[in-house]
């Protein structure tokens, strides 16, 4: 009797192991499909290039089998016409041609060590591209690149007085042991009267649903699920990446909101690597994200009703 029970229990465990392995394989194949080593191998469904403002565009690509998973920002330096690509995504020939028609593809910013999915194949397609990354993440990023490593740090390329007119603003994600990234404050015209912010993982601004229930569960768990209007900071960023110092998030986003309010420039947009761009009430929405509260619960000078769709 004991031998039979042991055998049946072993069969039960074996069957569950097989079924579990099959389920994991099917999940990974759908949501994390393997990629080849060429640029073409990395092309997944994506949108067309969309203008955000003068000299600023975005295209949305697939992540976890979700068509609104990640964004690549294309920025054209007003003074030179050179292109800076932020958090690159491999696109089809038609969309890459549109980008090349905008200017010379000269710089690729790898915003942090998590945003390297297509970075290596971009250096194969554009061997003369200058790879830029935050200093604290260079070693981790280089391990994920092929033969073309990081050429220059963000701190060195965009140091004070640089020809780009770009300013680095501190992000709460600035830790060598977790992630390190900057918020890029960029001019949109040659006279530098209008500006925008390029933000990576510090905030997200996804819609309420992705169209995939599994992805929606994933986003809900990690705090990525939003309303597409008010950006938010995930609990992973607010607590884990800051070593349980949420005040770093509040202070960082408050500082950026204050920079916008006190500037004599017009800030037209905050573009994000995940989710919709923010084009209205920028300081207010930075503070909402920083404090993780509804607009009515905190004092925000420029808060308005939800008006972006």
């Amino acid at each position: 009797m004991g031998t039979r029970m042991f055998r049946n229990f072993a069969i039960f465990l074996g069957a569950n192991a097989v079924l579990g392995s099959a389920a994991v394989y099917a999940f990974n194949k759908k949501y994390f499909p393997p990629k080849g080593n060429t640029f073409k191998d990395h092309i997944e469904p994506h949108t067309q290039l969309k203008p955000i403002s003068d000299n600023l565009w975005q295209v949305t690509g697939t992540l976890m089998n979700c068509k609104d998973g990640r964004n690549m920002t294309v920025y054209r330096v007003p003074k030179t016409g050179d292109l800076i690509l932020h958090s690159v995504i491999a696109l089809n020939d038609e969309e890459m041609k549109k980008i090349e028609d905008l200017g010379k593809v000269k710089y690729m910013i790898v915003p942090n060590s998590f945003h390297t999915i297509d970075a290596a194949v971009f250096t194969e397609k554009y061997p003369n591209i200058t790879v830029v990354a935050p200093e604290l993440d260079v070693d981790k990023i280089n391990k994920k690149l092929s033969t073309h490593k990081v050429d220059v740090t963000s701190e060195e390329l965009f140091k004070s007085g640089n020809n780009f007119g770009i300013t680095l603003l501190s992000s709460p994600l600035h830790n060598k042991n977790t992630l390190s990234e900057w918020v890029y404050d960029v001019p949109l015209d040659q006279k530098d009267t209008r500006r925008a912010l390029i933000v990576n993982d510090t905030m997200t601004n996804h819609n309420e649903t992705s169209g995939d229930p599994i992805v929606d569960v994933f986003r809900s768990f990690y705090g990525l699920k939003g309303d597409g209007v008010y950006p938010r900071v995930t609990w992973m960023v607010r607590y884990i990446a800051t070593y349980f110092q949420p005040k770093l998030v509040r202070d960082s986003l408050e500082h950026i909101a204050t920079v916008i309010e006190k500037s004599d420039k017009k800030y037209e947009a905050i573009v994000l690597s995940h989710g919709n761009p923010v084009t209205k009430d920028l300081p207010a929405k930075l503070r909402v994200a920083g404090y993780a509260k509804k607009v009515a619960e905190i004092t925000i000078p420029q808060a308005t009703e939800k008006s972006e769709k």
Side-chain angles (χ1 to χ4, degrees):
M1 182 68 177
T3 302
R4 182 183 301 174
M5 288 180 63
F6 178 79
R7 184 184 62 204
N8 290 341
F9 183 64
I11 292 172
F12 172 78
L13 289 179
N16 276 273
V18 170
L19 290 173
S21 297
V24 169
Y25 173 80
F27 179 86
N28 286 337
K29 186 176 181 181
K30 179 177 181 180
Y31 294 102
F32 300 100
K35 298 178 183 290
N37 297 320
T38 69
F39 191 90
K40 186 176 181 180
D41 292 333
H42 279 241
I43 298 173
E44 295 186 274
H46 57 76
T47 64
Q48 294 182 342
L49 192 66
K50 176 184 177 181
I52 305 298
S53 187
D54 291 344
N55 295 310
L56 192 66
W57 299 262
Q58 273 198 325
V59 60
T60 301
T62 301
L63 183 66
M64 281 189 67
N65 198 45
C66 181
K67 293 181 180 180
D68 70 342
R70 54 187 176 131
N71 300 323
M72 173 170 70
T73 298
V74 178
Y75 170 66
R76 183 169 58 198
V77 181
K79 290 183 178 180
T80 67
D82 293 330
L83 299 184
I84 300 176
L85 308 184
H86 179 276
S87 189
V88 294
I89 299 175
L91 308 178
N92 60 34
D93 291 343
E94 181 181 356
E95 294 306 308
M96 288 308 305
K97 179 64 165 54
K98 289 180 182 178
I99 291 175
E100 291 168 354
D101 288 343
L102 296 174
K104 181 180 180 181
V105 178
K106 193 166 183 179
Y107 301 95
M108 176 180 79
I109 295 178
V110 184
N112 67 37
S113 55
F114 278 5
H115 282 245
T116 58
I117 295 175
D118 296 334
V121 295
F122 252 86
T123 63
E124 300 296 330
K125 184 175 179 64
Y126 300 102
N128 295 322
I129 200 169
T130 299
V131 181
V132 186
E135 182 178 5
L136 292 180
D137 252 16
V138 166
D139 290 342
K140 288 183 284 186
I141 289 170
N142 277 339
K143 291 178 182 178
K144 298 181 179 182
L145 297 177
S146 53
T147 56
H148 190 150
K149 306 298 184 181
V150 174
D151 296 299
V152 63
T153 66
S154 302
E155 292 85 339
E156 180 63 23
L157 186 63
F158 303 124
K159 62 185 177 183
S160 180
N162 66 80
N163 293 327
F164 303 91
I166 294 174
T167 302
L168 299 181
L169 299 179
S170 293
S171 160
L173 290 175
H174 202 64
N175 190 303
K176 189 172 184 178
N177 295 321
T178 53
L179 288 175
S180 178
E181 66 182 42
W182 291 100
V183 172
Y184 297 89
D185 184 343
V186 303
L188 296 175
D189 59 349
Q190 289 195 28
K191 293 182 179 180
D192 194 9
T193 60
R194 297 152 47 236
R195 298 183 73 88
L197 302 179
I198 302 175
V199 178
N200 193 49
D201 287 337
T202 299
M203 299 189 303
T204 65
N205 194 26
H206 285 297
N207 294 319
E208 291 182 7
T209 178
S210 66
D212 186 313
I214 300 297
V215 173
D216 287 344
V217 169
F218 176 88
R219 287 184 177 177
S220 294
F221 177 78
Y222 284 102
L224 291 161
K225 192 174 181 180
D227 60 8
V229 177
Y230 287 96
R232 58 184 55 204
V233 178
T234 70
W235 63 264
M236 290 286 287
V237 170
R238 191 178 300 278
Y239 297 106
I240 305 303
T242 63
Y243 288 89
F244 294 92
Q245 299 180 74
K247 188 175 184 298
L248 292 178
V249 174
R250 296 196 298 269
D251 289 350
S252 175
L253 297 186
E254 175 63 38
H255 171 70
I256 296 172
T258 302
V259 167
I260 293 174
E261 288 176 334
K262 292 186 175 181
S263 175
D264 59 352
K265 323 291 185 185
K266 179 184 178 183
Y267 281 78
E268 295 190 352
I270 301 174
V271 291
L272 309 167
S273 290
H274 302 285
N276 302 325
V278 180
T279 58
K280 297 179 181 179
D281 299 328
L282 273 55
K285 289 174 181 176
L286 284 164
R287 292 187 173 106
V288 169
Y291 283 86
K293 293 182 178 181
K294 296 179 181 178
V295 179
E297 295 176 358
I298 56 178
T299 302
I300 303 176
Q302 298 184 26
T304 66
E305 295 296 320
K306 295 183 182 182
S307 54
E308 294 173 78
K309 297 295 181 184

